């Protein structure tokens, strides 16, 4: 009987050992299942976060493109402002040169009329209109203007006009580039 008791105790111990091993195996299996679920969740989370990162990267590239366009617009606006100021300067200079030319031209014509008027005689036909009477002859201005001075002033006015027109063309190109953005 002693032997049966020892066999029983050994069997009982073996059974307890086996039960403990099974319990430990179940615990390990549950732990591994949880880890597997955690890995699956982590994989799904990683996919979601990867999609979010890709979307953010796309938005960032779009932002960079918009920023570059904005900076280009700022640059065009500043260039347009400078070209407009340049045009205004040339326009003012053209008005000044044109006014100086007109004044010299009118003075020159008045001088020529005065010179012609000095040669008029009653009952002698006027070389311009043919009249025999000259009731109101032109008076020459006090300043004498040469044809060369008139031509020089005309050339300066025309050169200034060309600069003004060139500045206007450049301003229009910049304006068009700005509006096309």
């Amino acid at each position: 009987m002693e032997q049966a008791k020892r066999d029983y105790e050994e069997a009982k111990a073996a059974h307890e050992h086996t039960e403990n091993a099974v319990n430990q195996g179940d615990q390990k299996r549950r732990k591994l299942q949880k880890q597997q679920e955690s890995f699956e969740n982590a994989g799904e989370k990683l996919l979601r976060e990867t999609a979010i990162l890709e979307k953010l990267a796309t938005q960032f590239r779009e932002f960079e493109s918009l920023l570059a366009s904005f900076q280009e617009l700022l640059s065009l606006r500043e260039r347009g402002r400078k070209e407009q100021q340049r045009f205004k300067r040339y326009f003012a200079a053209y008005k000044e040169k044109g006014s100086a030319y007109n004044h010299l031209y009118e003075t020159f014509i008045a001088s020529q009329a005065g010179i012609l008027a000095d040669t008029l005689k009653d009952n002698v036909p006027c070389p311009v209109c043919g009249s025999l009477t000259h009731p109101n002859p032109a008076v020459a201005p006090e300043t004498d203007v040469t044809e060369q001075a008139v031509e020089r002033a005309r050339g300066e006015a025309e050169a200034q006009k060309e600069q003004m027109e060139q500045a206007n063309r450049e301003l229009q190109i910049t304006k068009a580039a700005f509006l096309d953005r």
Side-chain angles (χ1 to χ4, degrees):
M1 191 82 136
E2 269 305 308
Q3 182 62 36
K5 202 175 181 184
R6 270 187 287 181
D7 285 344
Y8 172 74
E9 289 297 323
E10 282 178 15
K12 184 179 173 185
H15 177 60
E16 285 175 2
H17 179 66
T18 301
E19 241 180 63
N20 283 342
V22 167
N23 285 339
Q24 285 178 351
D26 280 345
Q27 286 176 350
K28 282 185 179 180
R29 183 183 51 78
R30 283 192 296 272
K31 185 178 178 182
L32 287 173
Q33 281 178 334
K34 284 183 182 178
Q35 284 180 340
Q36 182 181 4
E37 288 173 7
S38 176
F39 286 148
E40 287 173 0
N41 290 339
E44 291 171 3
K45 185 177 179 182
L46 180 62
L47 288 175
R48 284 191 309 271
E49 289 180 0
T50 301
I52 290 170
L53 282 175
E54 288 173 356
K55 185 176 178 181
L56 287 173
T58 299
Q59 289 174 340
F60 184 74
R61 285 189 297 275
E62 290 171 357
F63 174 76
E64 283 181 321
S65 176
L66 287 173
L67 181 60
S69 294
F70 179 71
Q71 288 172 334
E72 185 177 348
L73 282 173
L74 286 177
S75 175
L76 284 171
R77 185 179 76 173
E78 180 61 20
R79 189 171 98 196
R81 187 186 63 74
K82 287 179 180 178
E83 288 175 357
Q84 187 174 28
Q85 288 174 343
R86 183 172 158 244
F87 171 77
K88 285 179 180 179
R89 281 192 318 272
Y90 285 146
F91 181 73
Y94 169 66
K95 280 177 52 178
E96 185 180 311
K97 296 283 185 182
S99 179
Y101 164 71
N102 287 336
H103 176 70
L104 284 175
Y105 181 74
E106 288 171 7
T107 303
F108 176 73
I109 294 299
S111 294
Q112 296 301 307
I115 291 170
L116 184 62
D118 284 344
T119 64
L120 294 177
K121 298 197 184 329
D122 281 332
N123 295 322
V124 176
C126 172
V128 175
C129 67
S131 177
L132 295 175
T133 61
H134 317 291
N136 193 13
V139 177
E142 292 185 18
T143 56
D144 192 26
V145 176
T146 65
E147 188 175 356
Q148 292 82 7
V150 172
E151 288 303 312
R152 185 173 44 254
R154 184 181 63 76
E156 289 174 2
E158 286 178 359
Q160 196 62 52
K161 180 181 179 184
E162 179 55 37
Q163 284 182 326
M164 178 195 67
E165 289 172 346
Q166 179 62 32
N168 186 48
R169 284 189 293 272
E170 290 172 9
L171 177 60
Q172 295 310 315
I173 289 169
T174 300
K175 181 180 176 183
F178 183 83
L179 293 175
D180 285 345
R181 295 314 255 137

